């Protein structure tokens, strides 16, 4: 089964993930299933629409497209999740607040589901936070390196 936490990844790692052969909407990282990721990077491209904000995050190793949905109250997808109306409205309000934080040149910490759109990996944003400390990006790099060498690379691959 896939890990439910957000794994800290470099953009280059996220972009090179392959679809899992047996689990739909899941990707493989060194043979292990992966659903969610966390990245830290600078917003280098931004496109705001009524239903979403699409932006590109640059972490120094690559460019990752990200999408933040802002149409929670009108989307059939969110209404099918059997959430109460109040929950949907709260999520919609949070998404709009987060959308206002996405600005060109801003350093962001982004957590989300790894998805594929037009044959390209992207992050569907679950949450984001602006980073006020420029060292956050370097600390994220160090975390990625440390986790890869001491944990991610040590885990046995998933069974088919």
């Amino acid at each position: 089964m896939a890990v439910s936490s957000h794994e800290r990844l470099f953009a280059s790692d996220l972009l090179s993930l392959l679809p899992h052969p047996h689990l739909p909407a899941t990707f493989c990282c060194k043979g292990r299933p992966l659903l969610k990721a966390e990245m830290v990077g600078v917003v280098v491209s931004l496109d705001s629409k009524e239903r979403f904000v699409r932006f590109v995050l640059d972490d120094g190793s690559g460019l990752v497209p990200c999408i933040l949905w802002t149409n929670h109250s009108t989307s059939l997808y969110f209404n099918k999740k059997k959430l109460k109306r109040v929950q949907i409205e709260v999520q919609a309000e949070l998404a709009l607040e987060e959308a206002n934080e996405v600005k060109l040149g801003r350093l962001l910490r982004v957590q989300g589901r790894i998805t594929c759109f037009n044959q390209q990996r992207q992050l569907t944003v679950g949450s984001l936070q602006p980073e006020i400390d420029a060292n956050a990006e370097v600390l994220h790099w160090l975390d990625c390196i440390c986790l890869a060498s001491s944990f991610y690379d040590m885990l046995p691959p998933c069974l088919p």
Side-chain angles (χ1 to χ4, degrees), residues 40-67:
V40 176
V42 176
V43 177
V44 294
S45 174
L46 175 62
D47 181 23
S48 292
K49 301 287 185 196
E50 184 180 333
R51 300 177 333 164
F52 61 86
V53 175
R54 183 180 300 280
F55 59 97
V56 175
L57 212 60
D58 182 356
D59 76 346
S61 73
L63 303 172
V64 174
C66 301
I67 185 156

Side-chain angles (χ1 to χ4, degrees), residues 27-99:
F27 295 88
C28 278
C29 179
K30 298 183 180 178
R32 295 179 308 105
L34 183 62
L35 289 171
K36 300 175 184 176
E38 176 178 296
M39 291 187 53
V40 176
V42 176
V43 177
V44 294
S45 174
L46 175 62
D47 181 23
S48 292
K49 301 287 185 196
E50 184 180 333
R51 300 177 333 164
F52 61 86
V53 175
R54 183 180 300 280
F55 59 97
V56 175
L57 212 60
D58 182 356
D59 76 346
S61 73
L63 303 172
V64 174
C66 301
I67 185 156
L68 171 62
W69 293 100
T70 57
N71 64 335
H72 291 68
S73 47
T74 59
S75 169
L76 292 176
Y77 171 78
F78 293 105
N79 288 315
K80 284 181 183 177
K81 290 179 85 174
K82 299 191 176 160
L83 297 174
K84 294 181 181 171
R85 191 76 197 148
V86 156
Q87 291 173 307
I88 292 173
E89 288 173 9
V90 168
Q91 285 183 345
E93 187 175 323
L94 287 172
L96 288 173
E97 287 176 14
E98 289 179 334

Side-chain angles (χ1 to χ4, degrees), residues 106-136:
R106 181 166 271 179
L107 183 64
L108 296 178
R109 177 175 305 276
V110 178
Q111 295 180 325
R113 281 184 307 111
I114 303 165
T115 54
C116 199
F117 179 71
N118 287 341
Q119 309 301 330
Q120 185 177 17
R121 304 291 172 270
Q122 68 177 14
L123 265 183
T124 299
V125 178
S127 69
L128 64 82
Q129 303 84 36
E131 289 288 353
I132 54 173
D133 183 358
N135 292 321

